[in-house]
């Protein structure tokens, strides 16, 4: 068995023995859930799914829907409008607490019921039916397949949902919820009744962890800044009144639901989901909490954990004396290059350039580029991406070198750096060989103009 499946299977077999917790019993469909049901699924950034246990059991998504509908509202309205209507502070209270900010009536956050009801009401739509269809389409895009509604769960939620109705009336009274209370609450109940399997939740979580692109379908579901916001709110508010303890012990954005679903997102690594109906007193699935605590420790997933750099960034610092181009040269030119080639410094970097890697590259530039004006080849052929801020850092460092008289050549198959000035302070080439040859030509032209003594 492959090691990831084996880890999940081992956790499943061992934690299956935990008998703590109570299955939610406010509606018959949840009360009848088998407390032994226990499934785990993990979806990686390459879209591979790993799983163990009861993975074919359908269940209602319940509160695990909340971060996804929040992401939908953010996508449609933008962060400013959404924050005007719902906060982002952990409430420290139960999921169904009365949560109204003094003065504004704004619910504390979109992960508790009050905030989720407001969030649902914010999804722009022609009518309530259209609003729910948008929510269902969005959650389906997150899951990578068409989801449907468990109508029995929905009916029961409507019948028993007085506390949520009461919350909605209070919020309307306070001015933070507009529109028809009964319709809004019904849309929220329908959203909670969307039917999923544990692997669906893992794909949905993986989509958030992957910056909004579903790693299975390859479709962009939401913009990256929206995914970041949803993850941030999950990190601080996703586990209700145990959110602080969760961040301490597990250190991953997560969301639980009353049917026993639990998702956690490890940014740029994977999404994971657990289904196990017995809940602790905060309403979080007991086995899910233990499973995630163990997985986080085993694979060092805590967000505050310092992962170390994956690969060396600067892989080569050399000069055209040691690594000349292959361009044919006359004996006279060759003699000049043999004498002066050390004025052409070649620096090669690789991988993704985030802040730390770029800082490292800039340090290498400072160390290896002499003060006297010369030529610099930056070989970025093996750089796969430069983050926006780091690109600006690198661009301005290169502009600084150009302003002190250096001539710069950048080798990259695709343009990675936007020019910081017009004309750009560097010349782009598609290969390192062309870049070095160009610098040699420039060097030969200068020495021809002023023969060295
Ligand atoms: N339908 C449930 C409710 O609104 C969802 C709550 C939950 O999953 N924690 O009360």
């Amino acid at each position: 068995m492959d090691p990831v499946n084996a880890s999940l299977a081992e956790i499943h077999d061992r934690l299956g023995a935990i008998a703590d917790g109570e299955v939610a019993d406010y509606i018959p469909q949840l009360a009848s859930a088998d407390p032994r049901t226990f499934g785990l699924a993990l979806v990686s950034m390459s879209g591979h799914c790993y799983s163990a246990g009861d993975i074919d059991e359908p269940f209602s998504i319940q509160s695990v829907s909340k971060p996804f509908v929040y992401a939908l509202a953010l996508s449609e309205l933008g962060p400013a409008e959404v924050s005007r209507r719902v906060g982002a502070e952990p409430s420290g209270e139960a999921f169904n607490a009365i949560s109204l900010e003094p003065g504004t009536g704004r619910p504390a956050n979109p992960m508790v019921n009050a905030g989720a009801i407001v969030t649902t009401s914010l999804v722009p739509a022609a009518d309530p039916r259209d609003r729910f269809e948008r929510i269902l389409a969005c959650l389906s895009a997150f899951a990578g397949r068409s989801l449907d509604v468990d109508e029995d769960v929905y009916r029961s939620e409507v019948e028993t949902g007085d506390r949520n109705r009461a919350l909605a009336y209070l919020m309307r009274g306070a001015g933070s919820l507009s529109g028809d209370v009964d319709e809004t609450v019904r849309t929220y109940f329908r959203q909670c009744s969307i039917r999923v399997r544990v692997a669906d939740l893992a794909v949905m979580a993986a989509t958030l962890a992957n910056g909004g692109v579903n790693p299975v379908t390859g479709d962009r579901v939401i913009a990256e800044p929206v995914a970041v916001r949803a993850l941030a709110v999950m990190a601080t508010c996703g586990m209700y009144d145990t959110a602080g303890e969760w961040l301490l012990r597990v250190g991953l954005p997560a969301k639980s639901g009353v049917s026993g679903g639990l998702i956690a997102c490890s940014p740029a690594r994977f999404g994971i989901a657990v289904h196990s109906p017995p809940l602790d007193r905060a309403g979080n699935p007991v086995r899910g909490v233990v499973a995630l605590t163990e997985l986080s420790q085993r694979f060092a997933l805590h967000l505050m954990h310092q992962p170390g750099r994956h690969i060396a960034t600067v892989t080569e610092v050399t000069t055209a004396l040691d690594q000349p181009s292959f361009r044919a040269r006359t004996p006279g030119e060759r003699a000049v290059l043999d004498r002066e080639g050390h004025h052409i410094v070649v620096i090669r970097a690789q991988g993704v350039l985030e802040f730390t890697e770029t800082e490292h590259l800039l340090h290498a530039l400072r160390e290896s580029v002499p003060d006297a004006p010369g030529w610099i080849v930056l070989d970025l052929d093996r750089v796969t991406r430069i983050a926006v801020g780091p690109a600006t850092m690198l661009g301005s460092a290169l502009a600084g070198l150009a302003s002190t008289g250096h001539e710069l050549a950048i080798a990259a198959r695709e343009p990675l750096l936007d020019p910081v000035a017009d004309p750009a302070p560097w010349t782009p080439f598609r290969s390192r060989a062309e870049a070095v040859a160009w610098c040699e030509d420039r060097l030969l032209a200068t020495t021809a103009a002023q023969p060295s003594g």
Side-chain angles (χ1 to χ4, degrees), residues 21-22 24 63 66 91-97 111-113 237-246 255-259 261-262 277-286 289:
E22 300 292 330
S63 287
K66 290 168 181 173
S91 64
E93 291 184 297
F95 69 88
N96 57 4
M111 302 294 117
V112 294
N113 287 9
C237 312
M239 299 300 275
Y240 308 126
D241 37 337
T242 60
E245 185 70 20
W246 174 269
K255 187 70 200 82
S256 60
V258 79
S259 54
L262 170 65
L279 309 175
D280 62 20
R281 269 189 288 166
N284 299 320
V286 177
V289 171

Side-chain angles (χ1 to χ4, degrees), residues 19 64 103 151 177 182 187 233 238 272 337 391 414:
V64 182
E151 296 293 345
L177 180 72
D182 198 56
T187 308
V233 174
I272 187 161
L337 290 175
E414 288 164 23

Side-chain angles (χ1 to χ4, degrees), residues 395 399 418-426:
D418 288 334
V420 289
D422 186 22
W426 58 79

Side-chain angles (χ1 to χ4, degrees), residues 35-48:
R36 289 166 304 179
T37 304
F38 184 23
L40 298 122
L42 181 154
V43 171
S44 70
M45 296 299 88
S46 41
H48 300 138

